[in-house]
Amino acid sequence: MEKKKTINFGAGPAKLPPSVLLQAQKELLDYSGIGISVLEMSHRSADFTKIINTTENLLRELLNIPENYKVLFLQGGGTGQFSAVPLNLIGLKEDRCADYLVTGTWSAKAAKEAEKYGKVNVVHPKLDKYTSIPDGSSWSLNPSASYVYYCCNETVHGVEFNFIPDTKDVILVSDMSSNFLSRPVDVSKFGLIFAGAQKNIGSAGVTVVIVREDLLGKALKECPIILDYQVQAGNNSLYNTPPCFSIYIMKLVLEWIKDNGGTEAMEKLNQQKSSLIYDVINSSNGFYTCPVDVDCRSRMNIPFRVGGGDEALEKSFLDNASKFGMISLKGHRSVGGIRASLYNAVTLEEAQVLSTYMKEFLKDHQPKELEH
């Protein structure tokens, strides 16, 4: 019997393009004819210098990053940046305070961490549940804030910003971990962008930080040296040994994105994929429900319930999906239900398999009164 193809809808670490995996496999034992693996390579060698510089140049090209921004490759994940951002930036103004938009699990964690280093102002009324982005008219921005922080796409709850917040003249900081390079972005509108690689641009272990040069050198004295942006920028991300293999994998993924049309092509593809799933949800007469407001539903992470949150039905949905090779569809433990993550490497055909399965599952399990 032919082995069924596995389709990975995981929220991160997530699917990598097959061509990237094959290239990494091909070069694993002998990178570029030098006789050793990237895993064994000195981070100060000419070969690795070429890898990290090529990775940076690809990022600059794909995002049109202005020259007055530094690109850093750091460790500690997005969670490390929850600390690094305030440690580096909250002291930019003497009031030592920052504004935070809290629209989900990750921005909530970031705001809580920042409280260790200064005053945090959540700019909108506290949300009872993370299913919407508060209207801008309800925001209370502090002109004395050192920066305004938001998470562009909340992986757990499936809330995505489709606009760039207007912060007047205050520096804007964004966690783009789960929608980085899924669409074009005007980097010049931000003081800092960071993103863990393990969703759209590579494997776990490396975090990209794009930071405007004039924001360097303002770190609090208690900032650990490996989190100090000025130190890392001054050492080309080589102050200490970087996650070499993860940077190499990112290089391969960025080459794949470039070869497949760049961020504009990724945006079009991601819109098509997410529409396939949302269309099934919206036309299911309530059998499938997505709790997120329509205007901020994520293209990357689609959470939904089956049968109004019927846990037995949802277990059946997951069990049957796995028989068709679809894995990692279980919702985050804090939310429950189902979650389909449709990052760049997930193909339109794979999204179509899920869409077709959802329609068939609906047909087999819908209440009798919905059949007509």
Side-chain angles (χ1 to χ4, degrees):
M1 185 178 168
E2 187 183 350
K3 184 180 185 295
K4 64 179 178 289
K5 184 186 172 207
T6 298
I7 304 175
N8 183 4
F9 290 106
K15 184 189 175 185
L16 288 166
S19 60
V20 166
L21 293 171
L22 287 169
Q23 182 75 7
Q25 180 189 48
K26 181 183 169 188
E27 297 178 333
L28 184 62
L29 301 182
D30 181 3
Y31 175 75
S32 199
I34 64 172
I36 63 169
S37 173
V38 175
L39 290 163
E40 308 168 285
M41 187 185 287
S42 166
H43 60 295
R44 305 207 184 274
S45 66
D47 292 295
F48 185 72
T49 298
K50 188 175 178 184
I51 288 172
I52 196 169
N53 288 345
T54 301
T55 308
E56 177 178 341
N57 291 336
L58 282 163
L59 262 179
R60 287 188 178 277
E61 181 183 350
L62 287 165
L63 283 174
N64 296 311
I65 299 173
E67 288 185 11
N68 63 322
Y69 284 74
K70 294 290 188 185
V71 177
L72 310 177
F73 301 102
L74 306 181
Q75 298 180 74
T79 303
Q81 294 307 306
F82 296 171
S83 310
V85 166
L87 283 164
N88 281 274
L89 302 184
I90 208 163
L92 285 171
K93 295 181 183 176
E94 59 184 30
D95 284 359
R96 204 159 147 169
C97 63
D99 283 350
Y100 275 69
L101 286 155
V102 176
T103 55
T105 297
W106 299 113
S107 49
K109 285 178 183 287
K112 188 171 190 295
E113 178 65 14
E115 288 174 358
K116 294 177 182 177
Y117 311 110
K119 185 175 183 300
V120 169
N121 167 47
V122 177
V123 305
H124 51 80
K126 191 174 189 309
L127 297 172
D128 295 330
K129 54 186 189 293
Y130 297 130
T131 56
S132 63
I133 295 170
D135 188 82
S137 62
S138 71
W139 300 2
S140 174
L141 295 168
N142 177 4
S144 298
S146 293
Y147 60 88
V148 177
Y149 178 107
Y150 78 109
C151 178
C152 197
N153 183 72
E154 288 281 2
T155 325
V156 172
H157 293 88
V159 174
E160 183 175 26
F161 281 75
N162 56 24
F163 65 95
I164 296 175
D166 178 9
T167 59
K168 313 305 178 198
D169 295 320
V170 178
I171 287 156
L172 184 59
V173 173
S174 185
D175 171 3
M176 293 191 183
S177 290
S178 53
N179 65 355
F180 193 58
L181 264 65
S182 70
R183 62 185 180 192
V185 62
D186 184 353
V187 174
S188 69
K189 295 269 201 285
F190 298 84
L192 184 145
I193 293 168
F194 71 85
Q198 69 273 16
K199 301 176 190 295
N200 271 314
I201 56 163
S203 57
V206 61
T207 303
V208 174
V209 175
I210 302 168
V211 57
R212 213 171 63 207
E213 287 177 347
D214 62 303
L215 304 180
L216 300 175
K218 311 288 171 57
L220 303 180
K221 68 180 188 300
E222 58 266 42
C223 179
I225 198 161
I226 63 162
L227 295 181
D228 188 320
Y229 298 145
Q230 185 177 45
V231 170
Q232 292 286 7
N235 287 275
N236 194 32
S237 302
L238 299 173
Y239 175 77
N240 63 320
T241 308
C244 300
F245 197 76
S246 296
I247 293 169
Y248 157 71
I249 293 293
M250 189 196 298
K251 176 182 85 79
L252 298 182
V253 175
L254 296 179
E255 288 169 344
W256 175 83
I257 292 173
K258 181 181 175 180
D259 291 345
N260 283 276
T263 54
E264 291 85 0
M266 294 298 121
E267 179 177 41
K268 183 180 176 185
L269 181 65
N270 289 321
Q271 196 58 55
Q272 290 175 315
K273 291 185 300 191
S274 57
S275 292
L276 279 172
I277 308 305
Y278 283 123
D279 286 350
V280 177
I281 293 170
N282 295 340
S283 61
S284 71
N285 288 317
F287 181 76
Y288 297 117
T289 51
C290 175
V292 181
D293 285 3
V294 172
D295 60 355
C296 59
R297 285 182 173 178
S298 172
R299 301 158 306 125
M300 299 285 98
N301 312 99
I302 304 178
F304 59 94
R305 303 307 299 250
V306 183
D310 182 323
E311 290 186 8
L313 205 52
E314 289 175 341
K315 185 178 185 306
S316 175
F317 181 94
L318 293 167
D319 290 345
N320 283 308
S322 68
K323 291 174 186 173
F324 291 103
M326 291 177 276
I327 66 166
S328 301
L329 280 167
K330 190 174 183 179
H332 189 273
R333 61 188 179 278
S334 66
V335 174
I338 317 295
R339 174 176 55 174
S341 295
L342 306 174
Y343 300 127
N344 285 347
V346 175
T347 66
L348 189 60
E349 292 74 23
E350 289 171 333
Q352 185 69 62
V353 170
L354 176 58
S355 170
T356 301
Y357 169 68
M358 289 172 69
K359 290 174 187 171
E360 290 173 355
F361 191 86
L362 165 63
K363 187 179 169 187
D364 291 343
H365 295 86
Q366 65 183 345
K368 292 296 179 197
E369 64 269 19
L370 295 183
E371 289 185 8
H372 305 291

